[in-house]
Amino acid sequence: MQKLLGTVFFLPTLFLVGLGFAVAIRRLLGVRIGLVRTVLAAVLALVVSGPLLTAMVRRPEAIDTGSGLLLTVLAACCASLVAMIVLVIGEVLVPDGSLPGPVELWRGWRSRVIRARRYSQIVRIAARYGLGRFLRGYRHSGLESPASRRDLARSVRRALDEGGVTFVKLGQQLSTRRDLLPTEFVTELTQLQDNVAPIAWPRVEEVLVAEFGRPVGEVFAEFDQTPLAAASVAQVHSARLPDGRPVVVKVQRPGIERTVERDLDILLRLARTLESRTDWGRSLRVADLAGGFAEALREELDFTVERDNLQAMAAALADGPAREVRVPVPHAGLATERVLVMERLHGTPLGAAEETLAALGTRRRRQVANALLETVFDQVLVRGMFHVDLHPGNVLVAADGSLGMLDLGSVGRLDGTTRLAVGRLLAALGRADSMGACDALLELVDRPDEIDERTLERALGVLIVRYASPGANAGAAAFAELFRLVTTHRLGIPPQVAAIFRTFATLEGTLTVVDPEFDLVAGAREVGRTQLAESVEPVRLRQSLEDELVTLLPMLRRLPRRVDRIADAVEHGRFTVNVRFFADARDRRVVTDLVHQALLAFVGAAAGVLAVMLLGADGGPQVTETFGLFGLLGYALLIVAVVLVLRVLVVVFRRDLT
């Protein structure tokens, strides 16, 4: 019973003493330390304080009450000092926050298990298609030959296809990035199709009933249970509304959101790792590109976003230059996050419409191609919202040659400044003006700290002579070469700018299907010239002048008052210039790093001097029969001094190496 009572009283006392040690350690260090580390340091202080006090009190019978209290306080201080030294060394070796805490581990264990299973599945798929050597960091010995690149591209395509919807979508997007991948990979990845086995009608019916809240027969007069097409994200059925209008119903596959989010989490983690550990990942801003891909794919999963895009695009096309291009009008009352009901456009997918196109004749096919090109230019340069994936499968051709654009789940959006820069770039390329093209290009991209503008301007001049001169027929190769020029000079590519290049690269293949002899560069030059002529019409110029005056009028009204204030300050000797030193965050970072390194060197040197003094001092309390307290503290300070000095030297040597 006495042991039980002793334990009951001992545990709260131990907790209070440990809490006191933890508070004292945090206060003395002056920084916020994790709870787990503080508790461990407090436990260490408790463990050390007992032997220290025992070593100090050699003859307990000769110690009075006052001396005992002083020795107890001294032992607690020494124990706290030892705990703080251990904390500082631990912070140097493993910084606080670099490892997940127990609460995070407990909360995220399920997601980590699921992610680990998916990692294992991806690794097995990669190994099955001979990609395991790249996961281990080995380089293919024959990667430089076209035959080996074709074999590797085929393996990558099959692995992505088996990986599921997210990796299929990733491969489809990479197939438009000729600036990043060799031709063999682009050719192989363009074969990726997300056509999969359709889901059974009972599961489709469950989604429809769950989204509409009523039976399918009450919403539609007719509903074809056999899908028109089935993809990895959704499948499409034909139906008829109670008023007799034919529609198509896009139904999302059940459970696809969880699969996509799991795979996107893996891709984003991989992108952040590549950007932090590789130079090419930082130059290409892989994390931003992966983030843009993830955002676009999430928008594609929300059919209300596609509904809004269809409504906005329909309004823009109704007022656009080519009335032959349409999009299906959605039924706003029958659109949810997983179901979208829209107008049914009659026609044949462009990839299988050779008979329809042949019946139109050469002249009409050229007109249809020009109409599509004008529509895309109007979307990019005027409206600021454009279709980012106009491949032949997303374009319908009617018998009269009119076109229908499908799949607007993800669209590109441009602000006014970016649209103006794109227009200036295209106009400069059309005029063969390398200087103007260089200036416009630098407005579109994120400039690095150092860039050789003269070299960039010369490279643009060579590109213009090669691809934009009369008689050249380069097609998408011109845009791919321009993108490659951007990455060569380490210019950061914002996601919306990358979407523009992707659009034109995909558009070239679509226009070639419509008209095999269509010249994208010449057509773009002609469309740009037409839009430039329209922009300088008297009505447009007057409207632009009025808009500029409305913007400048408040500034012009305040200008005389400001000039008078400046003149008065100069006359009476009160004119001063306010300059803020270190206003740039980069300057502050440099100075802060220098101060930190100097402080570390000073503290390390001081700790070394104190260590030498303590190790050379005689006397002092004995901790053990061999070591005294002064010697123990001296060795501890010597370790701290060595660690701090090594940190400074590592930083110095790393800067010299770089």
Side-chain angles (χ1 to χ4, degrees), residues 60-125:
E61 66 278 1
I63 300 297
D64 56 5
T65 304
S67 300
L69 291 176
L70 290 176
L71 289 175
T72 303
V73 172
L74 180 60
C77 293
C78 293
S80 300
L81 181 61
V82 172
M84 285 188 290
I85 292 174
V86 173
L87 274 179
V88 171
I89 296 175
E91 188 67 23
V92 172
L93 298 177
V94 184
D96 193 17
S98 59
L99 296 177
V103 178
E104 297 177 1
L105 289 174
W106 174 257
R107 291 178 178 176
W109 71 270
R110 185 175 181 181
S111 62
R112 286 184 174 86
V113 169
I114 296 175
R115 192 185 307 123
R117 292 176 180 174
R118 183 56 173 166
Y119 277 134
S120 176
Q121 184 180 4
I122 293 173
V123 171
R124 288 197 302 270
I125 293 174

Side-chain angles (χ1 to χ4, degrees), residues 53 123 173 200 231 239 289 309 326 366 384 441 497 527 590 643:
L53 184 60
V123 171
Q173 186 172 22
L289 293 177
N309 294 339
R326 297 183 55 203
R366 180 65 53 86
L441 181 62
V497 177
V527 172
V590 171
V643 170

